[in-house]
Each structure stands twice: as structure tokens, then as C-alpha cells.
């Protein structure tokens, strides 16, 4: 029995790694709507094995996106370290939206709450408090509109998640146009603005609309 333990532990660790790798692939490609059963099939393990490693969806999501939530919190810290509050604010928005564009699952994570996933929510809270400070600083130097609130960032992330999901195949850079236009809406009058990304080609948007229709 004693000699079998190391082998059992190694098998369990391999299964855990396979599950995480499968979940990352599926979440990045399809978003968080993927079922636990689909993750088990992708990993090549049984549902019982998946349940032993991750009893709930929240546990799996936490394990998959822990590093990305660290990156999310780090983006706020980096923005706060910028000597130019407006540049820090715009860089933060662009970086976080780029993280969404790179991973549809993470795009969903940023627009959902997971009360049972305490580690994930703790990092989100940390990032939120930094964001509030970032907004205050950008307003103090007269570059961000006075009526802008942290809730506007949540709305933007929800909108960006939708754009990423709808255009990922046909117009993968469409989110950049959305973010650029929204930053112009957030800016106080008279400030210098960075160049706006080109609009997607009409044909690319049409393909995205067809794809979205088929998904319904």
C-alpha cells in the first residue's frame, strides 16, 4: 500500500493538469458557458474524476484564471505607478480589454461574480479599489469627465466581452475600435487623444453578424 501511494498521487496530479489544460482551451475558445461534462470529455477523464479534482464550477474557474486575475490586479498597479494619471487610466483600459480579447473565458470572468470563489473575488476587489483611485487621479488632473464612475468600466467590459464574442473570427481587432471610441467619450473636453483604430471592414462585420445569427 505504501509503495502505491506515490503512483496514485502522480496519476491524480496528471489528471488535474489535463483538466486544467482542457478547461483553459475550451474557456478561451468558447467562454464560460462550457459545461463541466464538456471539460471532462476534452480532458479525456470521467466526470467522477473531474468532480474529485474540482467539486464545483467555481473551483475550476478559480484554478484556471488565478494567474489572469493576478495579471488583472497587476495592470491596475502598473497604471497607478504611471506619472501621468490620464495615460495610466487609458493604458489600464486598453490592457484589460486586450486581456479579454485574448481569452473569451477571461472576458466572461471580468463580467461575472463568483461568491464561492473567494480567492478570485479577493483579487477582483483589490483591482477594484485600485481602479477607484485611478479614476480619482485622472479626474483630479482634469482629463477624465467628472461624471465618469467605476460602473462605467464594468459597462465597457460587458460591451467588450460581447464584441469579442461576436467578432473573434471575422474581425478580431474590432474591440480596439470600441475601446478607442469609448475613451474619447470618457475624456474631458480639450484633452489630447491617441489615434483611433481603424473600423472593421463592412464585409468582416457582415460575416460576424452571420455567425452571431447562426449561434442563436
Amino acid at each position: 500500500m505504501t509503495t502505491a501511494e506515490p503512483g496514485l498521487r502522480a496519476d491524480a496530479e496528471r489528471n488535474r493538469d489535463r483538466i486544467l489544460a482542457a478547461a483553459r482551451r475550451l474557456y478561451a475558445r468558447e467562454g464560460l458557458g462550457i459545461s463541466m461534462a464538456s471539460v471532462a470529455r476534452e480532458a479525456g477523464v470521467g466526470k467522477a474524476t473531474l468532480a474529485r479534482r474540482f467539486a464545483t464550477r467555481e473551483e475550476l474557474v478559480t484554478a484556471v484564471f488565478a494567474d489572469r486575475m493576478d495579471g488583472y490586479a497587476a495592470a491596475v498597479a502598473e497604471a497607478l505607478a504611471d506619472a501621468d494619471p490620464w495615460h495610466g487610466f487609458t493604458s489600464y483600459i486598453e490592457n484589460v480589454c486586450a486581456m479579454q480579447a485574448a481569452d473569451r473565458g477571461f472576458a466572461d470572468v471580468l463580467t461575472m461574480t463568483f461568491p464561492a470563489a473567494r480567492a478570485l473575488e479577493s483579487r477582483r476587489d483589490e483591482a477594484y479599489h485600485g481602479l477607484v483611485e485611478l479614476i480619482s487621479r485622472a479626474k483630479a488632473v482634469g482629463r477624465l469627465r467628472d461624471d465618469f464612475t467605476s460602473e462605467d468600466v464594468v459597462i465597457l467590459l460587458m460591451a467588450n466581452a460581447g464584441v469579442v464574442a461576436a467578432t473573434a473570427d471575422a474581425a478580431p481587432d474590432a474591440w480596439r475600435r470600441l475601446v478607442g471610441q469609448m475613451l474619447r467619450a470618457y475624456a474631458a473636453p480639450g484633452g489630447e487623444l491617441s489615434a483611433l483604430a481603424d473600423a472593421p471592414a463592412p464585409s468582416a462585420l457582415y460575416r460576424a453578424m452571420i455567425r452571431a445569427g447562426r449561434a442563436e
Side-chain angles (χ1 to χ4, degrees), residues 128-148:
Y128 174 78
H129 292 305
L131 172 62
V132 170
E133 175 64 19
L134 191 62
I135 290 171
S136 178
R137 292 184 186 183
K139 286 183 178 180
V141 295
R143 297 301 310 277
L144 183 61
R145 286 174 45 162
D146 286 337
D147 59 356
F148 185 87

Side-chain angles (χ1 to χ4, degrees), residues 34-68:
I34 293 297
S35 68
M36 295 288 275
S38 295
V39 173
R41 284 195 298 273
E42 178 77 7
V45 302
K47 288 187 284 186
T49 298
L50 173 60
R52 281 195 296 272
R53 304 280 76 79
F54 302 99
T56 66
R57 176 171 172 262
E58 285 77 9
E59 287 183 14
L60 179 59
V61 168
T62 296
V64 169
F65 293 105
D67 59 339
R68 286 165 177 77

Side-chain angles (χ1 to χ4, degrees), residues 100 111 153-165 178 182:
Q100 284 188 301
T111 59
V153 176
V154 178
I155 293 170
L156 171 59
L157 295 179
M158 287 179 171
N160 194 51
V163 169
V164 167
L178 168 69
M182 294 310 299

Side-chain angles (χ1 to χ4, degrees), residues 97-122:
C97 288
M99 292 172 72
Q100 284 188 301
D103 189 325
R104 282 187 59 187
F106 190 63
D108 291 341
V109 166
L110 289 184
T111 59
M112 296 179 176
T113 59
F114 302 89
R118 294 181 180 178
L120 206 65
E121 291 302 306
S122 176

